[in-house]
Amino acid sequence: MILAIAGLVTAAGVTRATPASIEDVFNVPDRPSLNFYGTPGLMDMPSAEVMPDGQIAIGVSSFGGNTRTTLSFQATPRLSASFRYTTIKDLNLRGFEDFRDRSFDLRYLINKESRIWPAVSVGLQDFAGTGIYSGEYIVATKNFSGGRLPGKIKVTGGLGWGRLGSSGAIGSPFGGPRPPFEEGSTGGEPSVDQWFRGPAAPFAGIEWQINEKWGVKAEYSSDAYEQETQIGNVFTRKSRFNFGAEYQYTDRIRIGAYYMYGSEFGVNFQFQASPIRPPTPVRATPARPLQLRPSRASNPAAWGTDWITEPGAPAGLAEAMKPRLEAEGLELEALQVTAARAELRLRNHRYATTTLAIGRAARVMARSLPASVETFRIVIVENNLPQSTVTMRRSDLEALEFDPQASDALLAVSGITAASPDLPGAVRNDDLYPDFAWSIGPYVSQSYFDPDEPLRVDAGVKATATFKPGPGWEIGGTVRHRLFGNISDSDRLSNSVLPRVRTDSVLYSRGSDTVLANLYVAKQWKPGNDVYARVTAGYLERMFGGVSGEVLWKPVASRLALGVEANYVKQRDFSGLGFQDYSIATGHASAYYEFGNGYHGQLDVGRYLAGDVGATLTLSREFANGWKVGGFFTLTDVSAEEFGEGSFDKGINVTIPVSWFLGTPSKRSVSTTIRPIQRDGGARLSVPGRLYEQVRGGHLNALEDNWSGVWQ
């Protein structure tokens, strides 16, 4: 199919096949356009292209009663994943006037495009949903320069199964039959036995990017839209051909208009952004040049060590360093100093990248300490948890500051080792405790995918306060007052056969406009060089209160961490102050692993809030600037029938650093979890201050990945 279309393109005067990118032809970023499913493609049909590594895309499309909103993520250079929410008007299934559905896609690039060979990808569409969009495909795409035509041309051809094999089928290459779509399916379970089974049909298309703004598309579709045209009367399909024109409005936004299936007009909005390229570059205050010591020959007195015998010398040095550290967004916790070595323990209040804080601290030490102090030891302390000890020679800092290979050279001669739980004989900052902090600001709470109202929102004001009477102790709480919203308007009350640990969320929303979201006392400390511990008690979250304890083993140089958490909790009442009768002991053993290049895995095995036993697997990717995108799923001894709609718990986690928007350094971030549906099975307690995320950012792998920050 693709060879036949390529022949037609050649006959039209497009003579030079090349994998040249759009950036080679126009001065715009090289990224594929998205189809109506929010993935690289034509209109309904996919292409073999991939987005740039790490790219996040949002697609919103509508035609013929079909509205699709898709979030896609290029998780690796070859693998991408998508989550989609769909509304099909007038398709009366499950007793609703409009059909609403959630689905997941995966696609993998088998072969990258070369001068001779096309790109080839394989994809699974709606592989774990109700199956209404279920389909698989193998597709190839080749780029051509325009020749006598301006711009760039892409030719695509492929073979589809399932939904993508329902029109113009040419047989069943891998056998069959394929079960039809089941109206009563609750979805959620991968239909592995159906993949690439049943009839297969060819599809094809062409895209002409005329210039840096305008592009046109045409495709031959292999989707018969059987559910929309046979089960329901959503629209009339008169043709297999679709046509469209698209306009690149900005670097990130592309919009299009289309004529679909000979009967309908459609629109498509595409937004693509890279976590690596923020809209506003993050600009920290330029670091002060490293203050150099005078040479020993020119000023031997400056290198003397008599100063260490003077009464109060370490305390005086600490006092001198405090304002200099504060100017850099850092705070001194302790200073231990000898004639030749100094260890500085500090808090980092400003920088999401820990190495940036380490570099600024090293400059302050160079400005503040006598010339005889050659060895710097820097320890970042996170809520009374010393993370690691970074050891540098002062002479190396002085020699390498302007070296072209400064980062690699300094890393090679520096040490990153375990930090001891305490620092005997150190001068401590008496101004740290007691510490009281508070804030007042807006809050927004979302509820997704109610069939009657896909997005429900409550908004209001919240007040948060923390009191720290001593090292490791924290008393904290949050009060929220709802000003407006519609979450409590939902009529979707729980029908769960399990203890209702999450599905009564509507009743909690109705309970009161003013709620005590949490109120707790916590203590965390470091029992050993590689061991961290936490105990928390109180109202731990909106629905549960009780006691939680955690121990984490995480050596500084290890990619692996192991943890155990045990909780005994009782369900809070809907007003938020008292308790209901339901109580449970719940907990998990956890394993965390850093695969490298920002990829992380987590496996939690244990007992969940509803009493079910199983495991949660989480895979995520984190970028150097703090962006984090991941997915998770939980399987327990609760059957799909007992769990209900969705069959098992799963979802997507997204964390966005505030600095990505503001362009100034900040440790704050905004996080959200998108679940296709929240049920009671696989529900885990939410506890403030779990240990692993507090600790790992200051250990070897995270520091090495961002080591260049030392010089920024």
Side-chain angles (χ1 to χ4, degrees), residues 553-555 557-562 591-594 692 701:
W553 173 81
K554 173 65 174 75
S558 175
R559 295 181 180 272
L560 176 68
L562 301 174
Y592 311 85
Y593 194 78
E594 301 175 68
Y692 181 70
N701 292 306

Side-chain angles (χ1 to χ4, degrees), residues 376-598:
F376 292 171
R377 291 166 57 90
I378 301 171
V379 179
I380 301 294
V381 180
E382 188 75 25
N383 296 324
N384 199 43
L385 303 177
Q387 296 184 333
S388 63
T389 302
V390 179
T391 304
M392 307 174 179
R393 287 194 297 264
R394 191 172 182 176
S395 54
D396 291 332
L397 289 166
E398 294 169 333
L400 295 171
E401 183 176 17
F402 300 107
D403 190 286
Q405 305 297 324
S407 294
D408 292 339
L410 183 61
L411 180 60
V413 294
S414 299
I416 302 174
T417 56
S420 62
D422 199 10
L423 191 61
V427 177
R428 303 190 180 277
N429 187 352
D430 295 331
D431 298 334
L432 297 179
Y433 304 102
D435 178 57
F436 178 74
W438 62 275
S439 65
I440 296 179
Y443 85 90
V444 176
S445 178
Q446 308 91 14
S447 174
Y448 299 105
F449 312 129
D450 183 330
D452 299 315
E453 193 72 41
L455 176 61
R456 294 183 183 272
V457 176
D458 282 350
V461 62
K462 70 175 180 180
T464 299
T466 59
F467 176 68
K468 298 179 180 180
W473 286 97
E474 178 174 302
I475 302 170
T478 300
V479 176
R480 297 190 316 198
H481 178 73
R482 180 176 55 205
L483 298 176
F484 59 88
N486 63 350
I487 292 179
S488 61
D489 296 340
S490 174
D491 295 326
R492 294 260 293 178
L493 299 181
S494 176
N495 62 355
S496 178
V497 300
L498 300 174
R500 296 175 180 178
V501 296
R502 291 299 185 221
T503 55
D504 275 343
S505 58
V506 173
L507 299 181
Y508 280 94
S509 181
R510 293 177 182 176
S512 175
D513 285 338
T514 303
V515 298
L516 185 61
N518 59 40
L519 179 64
Y520 60 89
V521 56
K523 168 67 174 178
Q524 58 184 34
W525 69 101
K526 191 172 183 180
N529 285 354
D530 300 327
V531 181
Y532 305 82
R534 169 190 61 82
V535 175
T536 310
Y539 292 137
L540 302 177
E541 52 152 276
R542 179 65 182 89
M543 297 185 187
F544 284 90
V547 180
S548 172
E550 181 185 7
V551 176
L552 176 73
W553 173 81
K554 173 65 174 75
V556 166
S558 175
R559 295 181 180 272
L560 176 68
L562 301 174
V564 177
E565 179 182 287
N567 317 287
Y568 181 77
V569 293
K570 198 166 186 179
Q571 192 163 20
R572 297 173 64 182
D573 64 25
F574 301 132
S575 66
L577 294 178
F579 289 93
Q580 301 182 44
D581 292 335
Y582 183 76
S583 61
I584 189 167
T586 175
H588 289 78
S590 301
Y592 311 85
Y593 194 78
E594 301 175 68
F595 295 98
N597 297 319

